[in-house]
Amino acid sequence: DNTGPARAGRPSVCQHGCQLAGLVAGAEQRRQGPARPDDLMAIAVDITPRRDFAAIVAVGDTALGLPRVRILDHGEGVEWLMPRILELNEKYKPLCWVLDDKSGANTLVMPMERRGILRMPQETEDRDPRKGPQRGQLWIPTVGQYGAACGTFTDTVRQGALVHAGQEGLTVAIDGAATRPLGDGLWGWGRKIGSADISPLVAATLGLAGLDRWRHLDQKRLTAAAVNTSVPSSNAMFRPTGRLSL
């Protein structure tokens, strides 16, 4: 996985006239090691509207309980996606996979289900545990859930609680991001109106939502992480101190 020093994000103007400031590098500029097969993580996928770029992003917890974002793969085209998804699914056995079926990633739903990554059944009021969430499922958020995910991601960054590897794909995506309304009070990332490939940002947003929704399924490891209060080494992680100013 690509890691490197984070760079400050340049503000860009969204369609509502508000400023979107990038993940601004602070005093703590640290490198993360590569993702490990035993890491607790949700993995999300996004494809740009023109299908010219795609991103696979993992979001997991650090030893201190902070969400950590890693781009596992990001590249041109889409033909590489399914082989890579299957490889990562076997290697990491993630808590869940996440994608937005209102995006170009909708074309992955059937191929993923055919290869055993089954879509989480629609939730019902009876809260039947057999319907989900269950480990390894494919979660497709509703429009409302996607809007909430964008808000939660923004709040997490504003609070300085997001850890990432300083990978250029994410910072460039945030630089070029714009928003679009999803109803009264909700908004989503605007794929068609952004000035850059924002697939890593969309995938990171979905991955964080998936981790929040599925992390209770690995309670034993989550508890072990919670009691580990040791300070990471200087090369263990990068924690930005910037914010998304919307």
Side-chain angles (χ1 to χ4, degrees), residues 88-106:
L88 293 170
N89 192 56
E90 178 64 25
K91 181 177 181 179
Y92 294 118
K93 296 179 173 54
L95 292 176
C96 66
W97 287 85
V98 193
L99 61 80
D100 177 12
D101 68 348
K102 306 298 189 297
S103 74
N106 186 36

Side-chain angles (χ1 to χ4, degrees), residues 90-235:
E90 178 64 25
K91 181 177 181 179
Y92 294 118
K93 296 179 173 54
L95 292 176
C96 66
W97 287 85
V98 193
L99 61 80
D100 177 12
D101 68 348
K102 306 298 189 297
S103 74
N106 186 36
T107 56
L108 296 170
V109 175
M110 290 185 64
M112 290 175 74
E113 289 206 296
R114 283 197 296 265
R115 300 303 296 267
I117 304 174
L118 302 180
R119 182 173 180 170
M120 174 182 157
Q122 185 174 1
E123 292 181 280
T124 55
E125 292 184 1
D126 60 8
R127 300 292 182 181
D128 186 342
R130 293 171 297 180
K131 296 179 180 179
Q134 295 181 15
R135 183 160 190 150
Q137 287 177 324
L138 170 61
W139 179 40
I140 300 177
T142 64
V143 171
Q145 289 169 334
Y146 174 63
C150 292
T152 297
F153 186 88
T154 301
D155 291 344
T156 303
V157 174
R158 281 177 171 171
Q159 294 159 12
L162 185 74
V163 174
H164 75 103
Q167 293 165 298
E168 186 177 11
L170 182 59
T171 53
V172 168
I174 291 176
D175 266 0
T179 64
R180 59 186 174 89
L182 293 177
D184 189 10
L186 289 177
W187 55 269
W189 302 118
R191 296 180 181 85
K192 293 182 179 179
I193 57 178
S195 61
D197 164 20
I198 67 166
S199 58
L201 174 60
V202 175
T205 299
L206 294 171
L208 178 60
L211 179 68
D212 286 343
R213 192 174 182 82
W214 260 259
R215 61 157 51 95
H216 69 281
L217 296 181
D218 216 329
Q219 196 62 46
K220 182 183 296 185
R221 283 164 56 196
L222 186 61
T223 300
V227 300
N228 182 0
T229 58
S230 59
V231 177
S233 63
S234 60
N235 63 354

Side-chain angles (χ1 to χ4, degrees), residues 72-84:
L72 297 181
D73 218 328
H74 178 215
E76 296 184 10
V78 297
E79 66 282 349
W80 56 271
L81 271 175
M82 272 310 300
R84 186 66 168 137

